[in-house]
Amino acid sequence: MAIKKRILVVDDEWNMLNLVRIHLSKKYEIVQAGDGYEALEYIERQDFDLIILDIMMPYLDGWELCKKIRGKYQTPILMLTARNEVKDRVHGLELGADDYLVKPFAFEELSARVYALLRRSDINKGKDIEKEESISEDGLTIVKESRKVIVNDHPVEFTPKEFELIWLIASQPQRVFTRELLLDNVWGIDDDRDVRTVDTHIKNIRVKLKEANCSFNPIKTVWGVGYTFQKRMNENDKI
């Protein structure tokens, strides 16, 4: 069974959120956020294939949210607005939006635009995949730019922090990373300092790889120090 594309819908109007969910949930996995800050929390925790974003929201409007998303991610963005002025559409596109839809709209048009954006994104990923930096070992492939983890040709869903951890460790296989160093590189020096956060994320990575039938444990514990990448499978190191 094919994995559904995951779409984040951000709008402070409950009726609009509900209508979008009703019309798109048969084909896609829909995650809903009622404001920009809630949307940022979702984006930090999981990857999305498309973001549908209303402009006129309290606290953090769609333009500012689009700008924040584009500062870190290349996820396609479809902006929704009740404003039909050309300057507003131009402003949204300049901030990094991929398409623009004016309310009220026909949901058939919304579905068509969603399909087109996802198709274009898949085509671009296909063109770029061979050019991307990647790491492969015993059926496990980690692709940097598209942030993919693939086990025996099947994608494995990782959160952004989980991906950053496994890529950092795998990209420097001769290095042993302390928990403090991983916190600095993945979470940043200004975040709360709790080394147990690293251990929890490493455990989640191992569980997901095991469930995906990865033949070995790519992250080896160096007792009393931290973690390192394991390129070769030993009998005692199976997940």
Side-chain angles (χ1 to χ4, degrees), residues 32-91:
Q32 298 171 308
D35 61 63
Y37 291 110
E38 183 181 12
L40 287 176
E41 291 180 3
Y42 281 125
I43 293 167
E44 285 294 322
R45 294 202 301 264
Q46 56 188 308
D47 292 321
F48 292 94
D49 298 288
L50 174 68
I51 298 171
I52 299 176
L53 174 59
D54 184 49
I55 290 180
M56 304 305 293
M57 294 187 296
Y59 313 122
L60 184 67
D61 66 34
W63 282 326
E64 283 299 312
L65 179 55
C66 180
K67 186 176 179 181
K68 287 180 178 294
I69 293 170
R70 275 294 168 263
K72 295 180 66 175
Y73 306 100
Q74 294 303 312
T75 311
I77 296 174
L78 170 60
M79 301 193 83
L80 305 179
T81 183
R83 302 170 64 167
N84 194 25
E85 295 184 23
V86 173
K87 65 179 182 179
D88 291 331
R89 283 179 283 173
V90 171
H91 184 52

Side-chain angles (χ1 to χ4, degrees), residues 10-154:
V10 190
D11 200 312
D12 63 319
E13 296 181 10
W14 182 87
N15 285 339
M16 179 58 65
L17 284 175
N18 192 46
L19 286 170
V20 172
R21 179 186 58 79
I22 289 172
H23 284 84
L24 297 182
S25 59
K26 288 184 178 181
K27 291 184 177 180
Y28 311 106
E29 177 186 345
I30 303 299
V31 177
Q32 298 171 308
D35 61 63
Y37 291 110
E38 183 181 12
L40 287 176
E41 291 180 3
Y42 281 125
I43 293 167
E44 285 294 322
R45 294 202 301 264
Q46 56 188 308
D47 292 321
F48 292 94
D49 298 288
L50 174 68
I51 298 171
I52 299 176
L53 174 59
D54 184 49
I55 290 180
M56 304 305 293
M57 294 187 296
Y59 313 122
L60 184 67
D61 66 34
W63 282 326
E64 283 299 312
L65 179 55
C66 180
K67 186 176 179 181
K68 287 180 178 294
I69 293 170
R70 275 294 168 263
K72 295 180 66 175
Y73 306 100
Q74 294 303 312
T75 311
I77 296 174
L78 170 60
M79 301 193 83
L80 305 179
T81 183
R83 302 170 64 167
N84 194 25
E85 295 184 23
V86 173
K87 65 179 182 179
D88 291 331
R89 283 179 283 173
V90 171
H91 184 52
L93 295 171
E94 287 177 342
L95 289 175
D98 297 274
D99 201 357
Y100 206 100
L101 191 56
V102 178
K103 300 178 182 178
F105 51 79
F107 283 96
E108 291 81 4
E109 182 178 5
L110 173 66
S111 297
R113 288 177 183 252
V114 166
Y115 176 80
L117 284 172
L118 290 172
R119 182 174 179 273
R120 186 190 310 162
S121 178
D122 285 343
I123 291 173
N124 289 337
K125 287 177 182 177
K127 289 180 179 178
D128 294 338
I129 193 71
E130 293 182 359
K131 302 176 184 178
E132 292 187 36
E133 186 177 356
S134 64
I135 297 166
S136 294
E137 189 71 28
D138 288 344
L140 169 67
T141 300
I142 310 167
V143 188
K144 183 178 181 181
E145 295 301 325
S146 56
R147 303 174 68 86
K148 291 182 180 295
V149 178
I150 302 167
V151 176
N152 300 322
D153 297 324
H154 296 286

